[in-house]
């Protein structure tokens, strides 16, 4: 029994280590973007900004073909391919002096993360029983947020030396390569025969896919616009902005850590928790006239994403059963990264619409609207956790 538990613990470490690398993979070098812009000062600003958004687009595209990759490769082999691409192309971008070669490396980094992301949660549903999945999904979400904190702080420190050195943050991939290579079984998680239901993933799981898109759209408004909103407000000093944003990620990790407890307490009402916390958080940020409300709003936004992501993945996975890793989880990943890629466009469109009807038109006000939409969508379409 001890040996069996020991092996299960090592497998858990290997799978959860993947979660450190995923959600903020594209934005990890964001602290260096201004320095990169100075180096490529002859290039259009929109091209330089693609350094941050290009991985998200390629992650989403890769996830569309994830089931096919699972038919060709076994789990450990495919995961190691993704991790190798993460480290090699993540770091190689810093060695390029041509902006378009940097973007090629960033695109290939996105392909690597597009492999890692569904594995990081799909393998939980494949290898662990349902009674363990809630806690592990919460831990996975928590490690996502902590990975964002660590990567952002490391990249920011390295960028002070050189923008090229900031890309060395992707050496974090070795934190996962080693336990995956040592402890993950090399099983095939999908059969070679084509599932007759494949192709109807969106039709079957659209409530969760759209919910994930709305969830991440609401969340990514914060990292995309928080610094600008603080600059406009004038009462948050610029040196405090990265500290508050790092605290937001830490708050998010707490939401993941207590996810399984929240499920037991809230039960059927859990589906409202993240949308309501987003609503309250952005209302605090919109009304903020002092640092306390800014911190409270940041706490609520961080806690909302920390609890909301594992709820959607866990609930959708229970409905999908043992096919979750090849069906609904890649689809949720597509929604997540498409939201990351399109958030600036959607939020700016909502701000313009609000200004035309003479309402407050900050990015926070736009996020309040999306939060209300999330509440309505959840009440109509999302089943209580664990009910099929």
């Amino acid at each position: 029994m001890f040996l069996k538990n020991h092996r299960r613990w090592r497998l858990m470490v290997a799978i959860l280590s993947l979660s450190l690398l995923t959600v903020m993979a594209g934005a990890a070098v964001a602290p260096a973007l201004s320095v990169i812009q100075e180096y490529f000062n002859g290039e259009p600003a929109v091209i330089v900004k693609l350094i941050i958004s290009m991985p998200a687009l390629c992650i989403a595209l890769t996830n569309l073909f994830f089931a096919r990759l699972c038919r060709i490769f076994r789990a450990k082999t495919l995961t190691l391919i993704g991790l190798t691409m993460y480290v090699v192309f993540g770091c190689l971008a810093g060695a390029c002096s041509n902006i378009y070669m940097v973007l090629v490396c960033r695109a290939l980094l996105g392909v690597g993360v597009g492999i890692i992301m569904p594995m990081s949660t799909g393998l939980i549903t494949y290898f662990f029983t349902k009674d363990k999945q809630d806690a592990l999904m919460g831990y996975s979400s928590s490690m996502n947020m902590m990975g964002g904190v660590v990567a952002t702080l490391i990249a920011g420190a390295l960028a002070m030396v050189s923008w090229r050195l900031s890309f060395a943050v992707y050496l974090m991939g070795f934190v996962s390569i080693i336990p995956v290579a040592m402890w993950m079984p090399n099983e095939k998680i999908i059969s070679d025969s084509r599932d007759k239901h494949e192709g109807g993933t969106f039709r079957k799981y659209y409530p969760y896919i759209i919910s994930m898109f709305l969830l991440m759209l609401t969340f990514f408004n914060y990292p995309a616009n928080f610094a600008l909103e603080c600059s406009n407000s004038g009462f948050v000093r610029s040196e405090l902005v990265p500290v508050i944003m790092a605290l937001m990620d830490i708050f998010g990790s707490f939401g993941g850590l207590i996810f399984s407890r929240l499920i037991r307490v809230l039960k059927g009402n859990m589906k409202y928790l993240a949308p309501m916390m987003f609503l309250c958080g952005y209302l605090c940020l919109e009304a903020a006239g002092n640092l306390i409300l800014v911190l409270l709003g940041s706490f609520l936004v961080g806690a909302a994403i920390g609890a909301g992501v594992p709820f959607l993945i866990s609930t959708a996975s229970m409905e999908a059963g043992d096919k979750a890793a090849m069906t609904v989880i890649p689809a949720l990943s597509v929604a997540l990264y498409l939201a990351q890629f399109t958030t600036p466009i959607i939020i700016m469109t909502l701000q313009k619409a609000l200004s035309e009807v003479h309402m407050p038109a900050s990015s926070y006000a736009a996020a309040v609207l999306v939060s209300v939409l999330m509440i309505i969508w959840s009440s109509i379409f999302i089943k209580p956790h664990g009910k099929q």
Side-chain angles (χ1 to χ4, degrees):
M1 178 62 71
F2 172 78
L3 183 60
K4 183 178 179 181
N5 288 338
H6 184 58
R7 288 174 178 169
R8 183 177 297 176
W9 178 84
R10 292 188 301 183
L11 176 60
M12 180 182 70
V13 170
I15 294 173
L16 289 179
S17 69
L18 299 172
S19 298
L20 285 170
L21 313 176
T22 52
V23 169
M24 298 300 286
V29 294
L33 195 60
S34 61
V35 187
I36 297 172
Q37 175 72 73
E38 290 177 11
Y39 182 84
F40 294 108
N41 56 16
E43 302 292 342
V46 66
I47 297 295
V48 178
K49 288 181 179 179
L50 280 175
I51 290 173
I52 303 301
S53 56
M54 179 66 78
L57 180 61
C58 293
I59 291 165
L61 292 174
T62 302
N63 273 235
L64 294 175
F65 304 99
F66 184 73
R68 296 183 186 180
L69 293 174
C70 288
R71 288 195 181 88
I72 300 171
F73 301 101
R74 294 180 181 272
K76 182 162 125 176
T77 303
L78 185 57
T79 305
L80 288 174
I81 289 172
L83 288 168
T84 301
M85 295 182 72
Y86 180 94
V87 172
V88 171
F89 294 109
C91 295
L92 190 60
C96 298
S97 297
N98 181 290
I99 185 65
Y100 297 100
M101 289 305 299
V102 173
L103 292 178
V104 168
C105 289
R106 298 294 285 172
L108 292 171
L109 165 73
V111 173
V113 180
I115 295 170
I116 298 169
M117 177 64 187
M119 286 294 190
S120 68
T121 49
L123 292 178
I124 292 174
T125 66
Y126 184 81
F127 284 115
F128 292 90
T129 56
K130 289 185 178 180
D131 61 309
K132 301 290 193 302
Q133 288 175 17
D134 281 346
L136 291 176
M137 288 294 182
Y139 296 154
S140 175
S141 176
S142 178
M143 294 190 76
N144 271 324
M145 303 302 292
M146 289 307 299
V149 174
V150 173
T152 301
L153 293 177
I154 291 176
L158 292 173
M160 295 176 67
V161 180
S162 167
W163 71 266
R164 295 183 184 275
L165 199 56
S166 66
F167 288 91
V169 71
Y170 294 101
L171 290 172
M172 282 177 60
F174 282 108
V175 172
S176 191
I177 286 176
I178 295 171
V180 167
M182 291 175 60
W183 298 330
M184 184 181 289
N186 202 18
E187 298 184 14
K188 206 157 192 178
I189 60 175
I190 188 171
S191 63
D192 292 323
S193 60
R194 191 173 295 273
D195 193 312
K196 66 179 180 180
H197 297 295
E198 188 181 316
T201 297
F202 182 82
R203 184 169 62 252
K204 187 172 182 180
Y205 303 110
Y206 74 90
Y208 307 106
I209 296 169
I210 293 176
S211 288
M212 180 63 81
F213 183 87
L214 293 173
L215 184 82
M216 301 312 293
L217 170 64
T218 313
F219 168 68
F220 273 107
N221 175 67
Y222 183 94
N225 292 300
F226 181 72
L228 179 61
E229 293 288 357
C230 287
S231 176
N232 292 337
S233 71
F235 61 82
V236 178
R237 299 199 306 272
S238 59
E239 59 268 25
L240 288 179
V241 170
V243 177
I244 296 172
M245 293 183 74
L247 283 173
M248 186 275 300
D249 284 331
I250 294 172
F251 295 151
S253 72
F254 291 153
L257 288 173
I258 64 171
F259 170 70
S260 60
R261 296 180 185 176
L262 291 172
I263 283 285
R264 290 195 296 269
V265 173
L266 295 177
K267 299 179 181 177
N269 292 319
M270 182 68 188
K271 64 181 183 178
Y272 298 111
L273 180 63
M276 288 300 299
M277 284 198 295
F278 273 135
L279 178 61
C280 295
Y282 280 113
L283 285 173
C284 286
L285 290 168
E286 174 66 18
N290 55 65
L291 188 58
I292 293 176
L293 279 178
V294 171
L295 289 172
L296 178 59
S298 298
F299 167 80
L300 289 168
V301 169
I305 195 66
V309 169
F311 170 76
L312 286 176
I313 293 176
S314 180
T315 306
S317 296
M318 285 185 177
E319 185 166 328
D322 59 3
K323 297 185 183 299
M326 298 79 70
T327 55
V328 70
I329 289 179
L332 291 174
S333 182
V334 170
L336 187 156
Y337 286 104
L338 279 179
Q340 182 177 347
F341 186 73
T342 57
T343 289
I345 299 170
I346 294 174
I347 292 297
M348 287 176 62
T349 302
L350 288 174
Q351 286 181 263
K352 184 177 180 180
L354 287 170
S355 66
E356 289 180 354
V357 294
H358 307 292
M359 294 181 66
S362 69
S363 65
Y364 298 150
V368 166
L369 285 182
V370 182
S371 300
V372 173
L373 179 59
M374 283 179 63
I375 294 171
I376 296 170
W377 183 267
S378 296
S379 67
I380 298 172
F381 294 107
I382 300 299
K383 299 176 184 178
H385 183 77
K387 292 187 178 181
Q388 305 304 311

